[in-house]
Amino acid sequence: MAVGPTTRRRQLGADLRRLRDAKGLTLEEAGARVGISKATLSRYETKEGTVKWPAVDALCREYGATDEERLALVELAKGAKIQGWWRSLADPIPESMNLMLTLEDEVVREDHYACMYIPGLLQTRAYAEAVHRASEVRCPEREVQHMVDIRMKRQELLDRAEPPRLWCVIDEAAIRRLVGGREVMREQLRHLLDVAERPYVTIQMLPFARGAHAAAVGSFAVLRGQTEELDVVYVDLIGGGLFMEKRQELDRYKTAFEYLNAQAMDLESSVELIEQVRREL
């Protein structure tokens, strides 16, 4: 199974390009100084293929990087192949999930818009099971449980000492859709209220009354890295998802999320709506 570049590899490529640009060197000029080809250096910068840390060390010296920058990039090069926690799971990870897990393992912020279901990072196990059984109707129960295990493991990033900032705008339809039955939904909404109390989690509801909005096409997430160059958009599709990282695409979805944030309820009103729907169950 093909594996996408790790976040470390993406960071390394972006930093090498930044340092070369600051030095005013072309790919050919920089490569010649350290004995690598223009094509090889291009692959280093575009996050493709393997990297050799001695070459990275030499490039940093030619670019005039500080010792701190050079050592940090050498460490990135040495760890560029390291995958996250999911690589230790017994069953293979579906390709549609692999890059998401790679990116999400090191994000500093995630912006989610959810129009159909509660965002995966905020789902209870029973709710997640009901979602997967409905969307993967031909999958045996063992595969359903495996996918749910992955989702539950993903949620551990919210329990880290320094968790990513999570901002969710959730359409009212997602909390009114009866997934798994009334008891499952009551538990899910109670969990949503509990998570909303965490200082690094923001939940806003987008009620039906607000009418048309900036993301009527469907759910998406903006995964934000240490720098803007590492940002990626993930869009839900049947059977997987689509990743986009071109500047124009990123700007479009980031702007859409800003509009959604402006249209959605404030935090207190959002909690009140979730509690109201929960009582109705």
Side-chain angles (χ1 to χ4, degrees), residues 211-278:
H213 55 76
V217 294
S219 301
F220 67 88
V222 180
L223 309 178
R224 300 177 186 263
Q226 295 286 348
T227 66
E228 277 196 324
E229 290 179 304
L230 299 177
D231 293 352
V232 176
V233 169
Y234 174 81
V235 180
D236 276 340
L237 297 174
I238 294 177
L242 176 66
F243 293 91
M244 295 180 286
E245 58 181 352
K246 292 181 180 178
R247 178 54 50 192
Q248 184 178 8
E249 297 166 340
L250 286 165
D251 288 345
R252 182 179 298 124
Y253 278 90
K254 287 178 179 179
T255 299
F257 191 81
E258 290 176 1
Y259 276 105
L260 289 165
N261 172 268
Q263 287 179 274
M265 290 175 155
D266 61 34
L267 307 186
E268 183 177 350
S269 299
S270 296
V271 167
E272 290 175 357
L273 177 58
I274 296 170
E275 184 58 59
Q276 174 192 328
V277 174
R278 182 174 177 273

Side-chain angles (χ1 to χ4, degrees), residues 39-251:
T40 297
L41 182 52
S42 177
R43 287 197 298 272
Y44 279 23
E45 293 186 6
T46 53
K47 308 173 283 290
E48 297 178 0
T50 59
V51 293
K52 295 181 179 179
W53 73 261
V56 171
D57 183 87
L59 285 167
C60 287
R61 294 178 188 276
E62 288 294 333
Y63 295 156
T66 66
D67 286 342
E68 184 179 5
E69 286 180 312
R70 178 176 57 81
L71 293 173
L73 293 191
V74 167
E75 286 304 307
L76 282 176
K78 289 179 178 179
K81 292 182 179 180
I82 298 173
Q83 301 293 313
W85 53 262
W86 60 95
R87 302 303 294 173
S88 64
L89 293 176
D91 292 330
I93 304 300
E95 189 157 356
S96 61
M97 287 293 298
N98 195 59
L99 182 54
M100 167 63 91
L101 295 169
T102 299
L103 297 170
E104 196 171 55
D105 200 43
E106 296 182 29
V107 295
V108 297
R109 173 174 164 173
E110 294 192 26
D111 296 335
H112 288 255
Y113 167 63
C115 65
M116 182 71 69
Y117 299 121
I118 304 300
L121 288 174
L122 304 179
Q123 292 179 6
T124 64
R125 185 174 189 93
Y127 183 96
E129 288 175 350
V131 168
H132 280 291
R133 289 193 186 105
S135 59
E136 307 290 344
V137 291
R138 296 185 178 181
C139 284
E141 182 63 18
R142 181 177 179 277
E143 290 186 26
V144 169
Q145 292 302 321
H146 178 53
M147 293 304 296
V148 174
D149 286 343
I150 295 172
R151 179 154 296 181
M152 295 299 102
K153 188 70 176 177
R154 278 178 59 203
Q155 295 180 5
E156 291 182 6
L157 68 86
L158 297 180
D159 295 319
R160 292 175 178 172
E162 295 184 10
R165 184 81 168 86
L166 182 63
W167 198 307
C168 299
V169 175
I170 304 175
D171 195 280
E172 184 175 349
I175 65 171
R176 291 195 178 276
R177 178 168 286 102
L178 202 59
V179 175
R182 291 182 178 274
E183 186 56 40
V184 169
M185 281 305 298
R186 278 195 293 267
E187 178 191 22
Q188 174 61 70
L189 296 182
R190 178 69 263 169
H191 178 65
L192 204 58
L193 292 168
D194 290 342
V195 175
E197 295 180 357
R198 301 187 185 191
Y200 49 86
V201 176
T202 298
I203 296 176
Q204 288 183 278
M205 294 305 305
L206 186 62
F208 294 142
R210 299 292 162 92
H213 55 76
V217 294
S219 301
F220 67 88
V222 180
L223 309 178
R224 300 177 186 263
Q226 295 286 348
T227 66
E228 277 196 324
E229 290 179 304
L230 299 177
D231 293 352
V232 176
V233 169
Y234 174 81
V235 180
D236 276 340
L237 297 174
I238 294 177
L242 176 66
F243 293 91
M244 295 180 286
E245 58 181 352
K246 292 181 180 178
R247 178 54 50 192
Q248 184 178 8
E249 297 166 340
L250 286 165
D251 288 345

